[in-house]
């Protein structure tokens, strides 16, 4: 959507910058009894699930 008030009259173009943040959440089933203090390496399936 264009907002005419964002166009710089001297330049004639939109001079604003925009930022978009994207999140993705995936569930990891059957991890057993873990908590906030559990090391990531000790969570079954975590290394494979977070590999790029």
């Amino acid at each position: 959507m264009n907002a005419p008030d964002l166009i710089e009259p001297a330049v004639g173009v939109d001079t604003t910058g925009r930022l978009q943040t994207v999140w993705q959440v995936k569930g990891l089933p059957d991890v057993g009894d873990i908590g906030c203090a559990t090391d990531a390496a000790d969570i079954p399936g975590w290394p494979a699930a977070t590999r790029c």
Side-chain angles (χ1 to χ4, degrees), residues 5-22:
D5 57 320
L6 296 178
I7 302 216
E8 173 59 46
V11 180
V13 295
D14 184 351
T15 58
T16 61
R18 291 173 178 79
L19 177 66
Q20 179 180 9
T21 302
V22 177

Side-chain angles (χ1 to χ4, degrees), residues 1-46:
M1 178 181 357
N2 292 332
D5 57 320
L6 296 178
I7 302 216
E8 173 59 46
V11 180
V13 295
D14 184 351
T15 58
T16 61
R18 291 173 178 79
L19 177 66
Q20 179 180 9
T21 302
V22 177
W23 287 70
Q24 184 177 46
V25 177
K26 295 181 180 180
L28 187 60
D30 302 320
V31 293
D33 187 24
I34 63 169
C36 294
T38 305
D39 187 54
D42 295 335
I43 301 173
W46 182 254

